[in-house]
Amino acid sequence: MPITLTAFEASPDRGRGLARDMPVRWALEELGLAYKVRLISFAAMKAPEHLARQPFGQIPSFEEDGLTLFESGAIVHHLAKRHAGLLPEDPTARARAVAWMFGAVSTVEPPIVEWAMARMLERDAPWFAARQSMLEDRVRTRLAQLAARLGGAEWLEGDFSAADLLMISVLRRLSRSTMLPDQPRLLAYIGRGEARPAFQRAFAAQRAVFEAAAKTEPHPSAN
């Protein structure tokens, strides 16, 4: 059974490569693994068939040879353990890379997501300015800590690994913020990840889904 990945049929990220199937696509491309994509609507995400694959009604889900997984970080971890190329061979370095994988999704991403959601949903609230300042400070602290640890290295743990794949995927959520320009090391780090051919292939594949969906959307003048 080929690998099957579920993804939005009309992603809310407007083709920016931020939907959570992107890290999995990137990992599959890095490993040279063939896969197919099951595109799914927002309504279908909450239907029993998809909930059996993804109990929270989200994307992505991953299916291969009777195994079904959810959570993009867990899927990338599974692929990295099963196939050579995304984790160091040395056990100590591998353990550190796995720690960075968890750090990306458990420590760096949450304040970024909370900051972004507040900007989207709380702009009219009387507490917005004060809360946004506090949330931005949290993100800036994490970025400074990460930049300090990265230092002058190209990647987090030796050669490029799943740790970098997940961390860069998280950092790309700040691409339109004013915070990344203050961290040139991180900007260069993201650039190195985006320049990888596997990233380019994954991004193009996800972008093609957005462009196909956009062509089917009714033109405003038709209403």
Side-chain angles (χ1 to χ4, degrees):
M1 177 181 175
I3 293 172
T4 302
L5 183 68
T6 54
F8 290 124
E9 67 176 18
S11 178
D13 76 347
R14 308 296 294 175
R16 295 170 57 207
L18 301 179
R20 293 184 187 274
D21 59 302
M22 180 64 189
V24 182
R25 289 179 186 264
W26 187 2
L28 291 167
E29 293 290 349
E30 290 281 354
L31 296 170
L33 299 176
Y35 64 100
K36 65 179 184 179
V37 178
R38 179 190 297 112
L39 298 178
I40 190 168
S41 68
F42 287 102
M45 286 169 58
K46 310 305 178 185
E49 181 181 359
H50 184 63
L51 289 171
R53 294 186 292 260
Q54 217 295 357
F56 303 112
Q58 300 172 326
I59 60 99
S61 66
F62 170 96
E63 299 165 77
E64 182 186 26
D65 296 332
L67 171 67
T68 301
L69 293 175
F70 60 98
E71 292 295 331
S72 56
I75 297 167
V76 171
H77 186 219
H78 165 75
L79 291 169
K81 289 194 305 178
R82 186 169 181 179
H83 303 278
L86 280 180
L87 284 175
E89 292 294 330
D90 174 71
T92 300
R94 176 177 285 239
R96 287 196 296 264
V98 170
W100 278 114
M101 293 176 69
F102 278 82
V105 298
S106 299
T107 301
V108 179
E109 185 173 43
I112 292 174
V113 171
E114 188 174 10
W115 168 82
M117 292 302 292
R119 283 174 61 86
M120 185 184 307
L121 302 176
E122 298 178 4
R123 284 188 175 276
D124 295 331
W127 62 80
F128 174 75
R131 175 167 157 76
Q132 190 68 13
S133 177
M134 177 267 292
L135 294 176
E136 184 171 317
D137 285 345
R138 287 182 182 175
V139 175
R140 288 186 181 277
T141 296
R142 288 288 179 255
L143 295 180
Q145 292 168 330
L146 178 60
R149 185 57 182 268
L150 182 65
E154 283 196 339
W155 310 112
L156 289 170
E157 189 57 49
D159 294 334
F160 176 85
S161 72
D164 302 297
L165 188 154
L166 286 178
M167 188 66 76
I168 290 168
S169 295
V170 167
L171 294 176
R172 291 187 70 251
R173 296 185 172 278
L174 292 171
S175 60
R176 294 183 177 178
S177 80
T178 61
M179 290 182 276
L180 279 176
D182 293 338
Q183 297 293 345
R185 287 177 177 174
L186 297 186
L187 278 177
Y189 175 56
I190 295 167
R192 288 191 292 273
E194 292 179 333
R196 294 180 68 83
F199 175 91
Q200 295 290 325
R201 291 192 297 271
F203 183 89
Q206 196 187 65
R207 177 76 184 179
V209 174
F210 162 72
E211 290 175 346
K215 289 178 181 178
T216 65
E217 292 178 358
H219 192 278
S221 63
N223 294 329

